[in-house]
Every structure is written in C-alpha cells, then in structure tokens.
Amino acid sequence: MKIPFTKMQGLGNDFVVLDAVTGSFVPNPAQVRFLADRHFGVGCDQLLVVEKPGSPEVDFRYRIFNADGGEVEQCGNGARCFARFVTDAGLTDKREIRVETRCGVIAPRLEADGQVTVDMGLPRFAPAEIPFVSDSDAVIQPLAAAGREWMISVVSMGNPHAVQVVGAVDSAPVAEDGPLIENHPRFPRRVNAGFMEIVDRHAIRLRVHERGAGETLACGTGACAAVVAGIRRGLLDTPVRVSTRGGELSIAWSGPDTPVLMTGPAVTVFQGEIELPEDLS
Ligand SMILES: N[C@H](CCC[C@H](N)C(=O)O)C(=O)O
C-alpha cells in the first residue's frame, strides 16, 4: 500500500505528517515504527495524523505517535507543524485553528512572520497519573536511582515532564540519566526528562530526552514545562527564551490558572510517498 506523507520539522524535531482528512489511513504501532525508522522507513521523532474534527467546536483533530509506536497526549513542535500543514494543504483558511488532541483543545495561530504561536493550555503540576505528591505546590522530589540523586519538578502539559536544573546542558548526563528517568517506576506511563541550564531570568538552555523517542533537537512541551518549573521555583520571569540544539522558542506564562503560550517556527521539508510492507501488524 502506497502512503503519501509530508515530512516537517520544528527546530529539528521532525515529523511524518499523514492527512486523514482527505485520506483515511491511520497507522498501527508497527506501521508507525516502520515510518519513523531512519534506515528502513522515512524517519521521524513523531508521526502526526490530521483528522476531521470530532465535534463542531473544533476545526480538526490531531493524533501524535512517538517513534516507538506509542500514542501520546500532546506535542508542541508538532502543533506548530500541524497548523502549517493544514494551511498549506488548503484544508483551512483560518489563521487561528482550534484542534482537539488527546489532552484537550489547543489553538495554534499563524503569525504574519511565518512563526506559529500556540496556546498550549493550562499546565498541571502534580498530574494524577504520576504518583508524586508533596506538601509544597512545587512538586520537587528527590528521585534516587543508580546512586545518583535528581531534584525533579514534575509538570504536565497534557504529557508528563520531569525537569531538573543543571549547571551546563552541554555536559548534562542526558544519555545516561534520561532513560533512567523516562523508565523510572515512579512514572507509570513513563516521562519526558528535561535538563535546563538557567542563563538569566529570561533565558534558559534546554535538552530533553523524550519519552518514546530519545533525545530530540527540540521539545516544545518540554520547553513549556521547563519554563513553568523555573517560574514556580522563582528562577525565571516570563517571557523566557528557550535555546535548544535545534534553535530558539519563546515561552510565556503568567502563572497558575493561565495558559502557556509557545512561539516558534514550522517548516515543510518535502512531500513523498512510501510503500508500506503488508506484514506489519
Ligand atoms: N515525546 C513526547 C511527545 C512529543 C513531544 C515533543 N516532540 C514536543 O514538541 O512537545 C511524549 O511522549 O510525551
């Protein structure tokens, strides 16, 4: 079966985008893994499926699958690429698009300069699915494993993030500690592990070991979670420039009960089609 796709990237976090509005194919986990494979498939960190809306209150639904085949709740860089995709494909003429995800409705807006701003909704600090409780509202919990101690802030942007402050991201133990945190039993649905270096009160550098994908060049929800954690810990003031290995995002958050706003680029790399092996199930 030949599958048309669009390859996109947001700060080097890359995506295979499938149009299930005019098409109808939604991949199973084995097919996601094949399409995401950088040697035998197209290659991507996540696969995005754009679908017709499930209700009249939204314009589209958008589903997100990690390279490991798992479907997840949210993707920040993917939301910007989604908005660019539906606009360039002529599926909408709106500048502000309401799209349903597994964790609720978000609203990407295309800016005049080609960047995309996304209202990422309200952050949560002690999501029920992560059994971290603390009497302080800043959910900071020492997490000991392999003899190392991490002080972690747990923040949900719909998807779970475990963020810590490091002295220098370039030498942070992302490869060693990222998988340990991702798969730690304290996170029953696993977690994205963020490592942030405070540059000043309006700037950080960030690396993220992503759940289901490994370290990516940028993580949009990870940038939102890091800024929320930094502001709650009294280390940052809104807005914050987030420098990732793939480029820069701007994140604004005015405090509890207000949404996180993320602004950054979204780029179409190429379009193509690929023959899907019949035996993937
Ligand atoms: N790996 C994430 C999903 C993709 C998030 C990231 N690519 C972003 O831009 O937010 C998770 O399992 O929750």
Side-chain angles (χ1 to χ4, degrees):
M1 171 170 57
K2 271 197 187 303
I3 302 293
F5 66 86
T6 300
K7 183 76 192 305
M8 301 188 78
Q9 59 87 8
L11 300 175
N13 182 196
D14 64 342
F15 308 100
V16 166
V17 184
L18 303 182
D19 173 358
V21 175
T22 55
S24 62
F25 173 69
V26 180
N28 66 36
Q31 293 168 329
V32 171
R33 287 190 290 272
F34 169 79
L35 291 167
D37 189 294
R38 296 190 186 283
H39 302 286
F40 297 100
V42 179
C44 64
D45 295 323
Q46 280 88 31
L47 184 141
L48 311 180
V49 179
V50 179
E51 297 183 320
K52 297 182 180 68
S55 74
E57 287 78 48
V58 296
D59 302 302
F60 296 95
R61 186 163 73 158
Y62 126 85
R63 297 173 68 182
I64 304 139
F65 300 85
N66 280 322
D68 70 357
E71 185 168 3
V72 292
E73 310 88 346
Q74 192 54 272
C75 178
N77 291 321
R80 300 197 314 275
C81 288
F82 152 81
R84 165 72 51 223
F85 175 80
V86 294
T87 301
D88 293 355
L91 295 176
T92 183
D93 55 6
K94 292 185 175 180
R95 302 295 292 174
E96 178 144 350
I97 304 158
R98 289 181 57 76
V99 57
E100 178 191 347
T101 69
R102 275 187 107 179
C103 69
V105 175
I106 57 173
R109 184 180 69 243
L110 283 97
E111 307 291 2
D113 65 0
Q115 299 238 78
V116 184
T117 294
V118 189
D119 172 339
M120 293 296 293
L122 302 183
R124 288 181 296 137
F125 315 113
E129 73 273 16
I130 295 180
F132 268 34
V133 288
S134 125
D135 52 4
S136 75
D137 63 359
V139 185
I140 297 172
Q141 183 83 22
L143 183 70
R148 279 192 286 273
E149 284 284 319
W150 298 291
M151 290 301 287
I152 281 181
S153 298
V154 177
V155 179
S156 171
M157 292 305 302
N159 60 342
H161 289 270
V163 187
Q164 59 183 289
V165 177
V166 294
V169 281
D170 292 334
S171 56
V174 179
E176 302 84 357
D177 293 356
L180 288 175
I181 298 171
E182 175 192 3
N183 297 291
H184 196 283
R186 299 295 295 273
F187 300 101
R189 288 168 39 203
R190 297 183 294 154
V191 74
N192 299 285
F195 300 78
M196 79 165 146
E197 173 186 335
I198 307 290
V199 174
D200 62 38
R201 293 194 65 83
H202 288 283
I204 62 172
R205 298 180 68 211
L206 179 68
R207 290 172 67 186
V208 181
H209 169 90
E210 286 200 31
R211 174 179 63 172
E215 181 175 5
T216 56
L217 292 182
C219 178
T221 52
C224 296
V227 168
V228 167
I231 290 174
R232 288 172 58 80
R233 293 174 73 163
L235 302 171
L236 297 173
D237 298 311
T238 193
V240 177
R241 284 188 326 280
V242 179
S243 297
T244 74
R245 292 190 151 181
E248 198 163 284
L249 277 170
S250 174
I251 307 292
W253 183 55
S254 302
D257 305 324
T258 68
V260 182
L261 300 180
M262 167 190 64
T263 300
V267 176
T268 298
V269 183
F270 66 90
Q271 293 180 321
E273 60 178 24
I274 185 169
E275 187 66 43
L276 209 55
E278 294 302 327
D279 59 348
L280 292 174
S281 60

